[in-house]
Amino acid sequence: MVARRAVLAGLLATGLAPKATWADAGNPAYVTAALRPDGVYTLCGLGIGGQIIFEVDLPARGHAAAAHPIRPEVIAFARRPGTFALVIDCSTGAEIARVTAPDGRHFYGHGAFSADGSTLYTTENDFDAARGVIGIWDARQGYIRVAEIASGGIGPHDILRLPGTETLVVANGGIETHPDSGRAKLNLPTMRPNLSYVSPDGAVLEQLELGADYRMNSIRHLDVAPDGTVALAMQWQGDPLDAPALLGLHQRGSPIEPLAADNADHLELQGYAGSVAFSNGARLVGISSPRGGVVQVFNTASRAFAHSIAAPDVCGLSGRAGSGFCFATGEGDVGYWSSVAQAVLLRSHPRSFDNHLIPIAQPMAATTFR
């Protein structure tokens, strides 16, 4: 691997090398933040078989990442209220750039690219003004900050781009925080989460709330189907026994539609959905709960609860090429579930994988390189 990287570096220096692709990074299928037994936080690239293809050290705990749509680059974001995001060349392991939140801002751990990869959007907290913003960074010029726009609410967490458009969908969690108060939630009696659709020029195109009964249901994480349907995972800020539905589906121009299992199954989530993902051509949607150690899967056509799958400390969740869901856990397990709800353990690593399993845009059959 060292020799291969040296050759690539030499070719790049002479200008003779072709542009790097995801194949040069070993064709990872997913990226996820992790903690090694030696206490070092890292970003891992995982193959379709669950193997660790590459691993890069991070300066502190990571949360999620954004994969460049063209180049083998990943942006690894600090966990809230962190202020760093590392731009990593996954073909060499090199740090290309370090993106730092401006004074008075911190990241929420998520970001999204424009369709051509020229622009990075980051969810941020303007904490003294208690408002959410979206930072805009020029990825062609070394990820310099060029602007910011309002997110449409307080506590913007996840952000994605709708397929085939430049419209951004933002999960405004509604919870006010301030670095001086650590991770304390400062406005629970008045919080109002919303789902906002925002154009890159800052116009709020559509904004939705779930109603009074859901006011304390913080909208946190998102996935988007090819037809633009948005799935949202929520985290209840009250008594877990009183938690309403923690999964919602939305299509532009319609209300958000909550989905929940029957009471006994629903209570297994313990009021907390960590990640959300579509699968099987968006015919299935799943949410994970590390608190409950369970993933719940729903049929998107019928809106019916399909099945529940147990996995201790499971949070990272992504659709799997073909069918089913891939998962990663805080206990270091990587595996998948097929459409018949049978869990298959692929690999177990001496790692604690963090909250999210981010799919690479065009995963291919992985080939390990060393």
Side-chain angles (χ1 to χ4, degrees), residues 214-301:
Y214 285 81
R215 186 186 59 76
M216 295 182 68
N217 220 14
S218 181
I219 303 173
R220 300 300 273 270
H221 294 112
L222 305 171
D223 197 15
V224 180
D227 69 354
T229 300
V230 176
L232 44 149
M234 294 170 278
Q235 297 171 7
W236 179 246
Q237 303 304 307
D239 186 332
L241 296 177
D242 297 330
L246 301 177
L247 170 65
L249 294 179
H250 182 253
Q251 292 180 319
R252 300 242 359 230
S254 302
I256 296 172
E257 186 174 358
L259 278 67
D262 291 339
N263 191 55
D265 288 307
H266 178 64
L267 289 176
E268 288 187 338
L269 298 172
Q270 297 187 28
Y272 188 98
S275 292
V276 60
F278 284 107
S279 185
N280 291 52
R283 294 189 298 276
L284 299 176
V285 62
I287 50 173
S288 62
S289 173
R291 292 182 182 176
V294 67
V295 171
Q296 293 191 348
V297 179
F298 294 77
N299 184 298
T300 57

Side-chain angles (χ1 to χ4, degrees), residues 65-132:
H68 195 280
I70 301 169
R71 301 191 297 265
E73 291 178 10
V74 165
I75 318 300
F77 292 98
R79 181 176 185 251
R80 176 183 69 83
T83 58
F84 76 84
L86 299 190
V87 186
I88 297 166
D89 182 340
C90 299
S91 65
T92 66
E95 179 183 318
I96 300 172
R98 184 169 298 206
V99 178
T100 303
D103 290 344
R105 307 282 189 274
H106 69 67
F107 295 127
Y108 276 102
H110 290 267
F113 278 100
S114 60
D116 64 0
S118 64
T119 305
L120 172 70
Y121 302 99
T122 56
T123 50
E124 301 173 11
N125 187 11
D126 177 1
F127 45 80
D128 286 332
R131 71 184 186 109

Side-chain angles (χ1 to χ4, degrees), residues 178-230:
H178 195 288
D180 291 348
S181 302
R183 292 175 63 82
K185 301 167 184 177
L186 305 177
N187 69 329
L188 294 187
T190 60
M191 64 177 286
R192 292 182 63 181
N194 71 59
L195 186 71
S196 291
Y197 294 84
V198 182
S199 68
D201 63 5
V204 176
L205 306 175
E206 189 172 357
Q207 189 172 82
L208 302 100
E209 296 181 4
L210 273 162
D213 291 343
Y214 285 81
R215 186 186 59 76
M216 295 182 68
N217 220 14
S218 181
I219 303 173
R220 300 300 273 270
H221 294 112
L222 305 171
D223 197 15
V224 180
D227 69 354
T229 300
V230 176

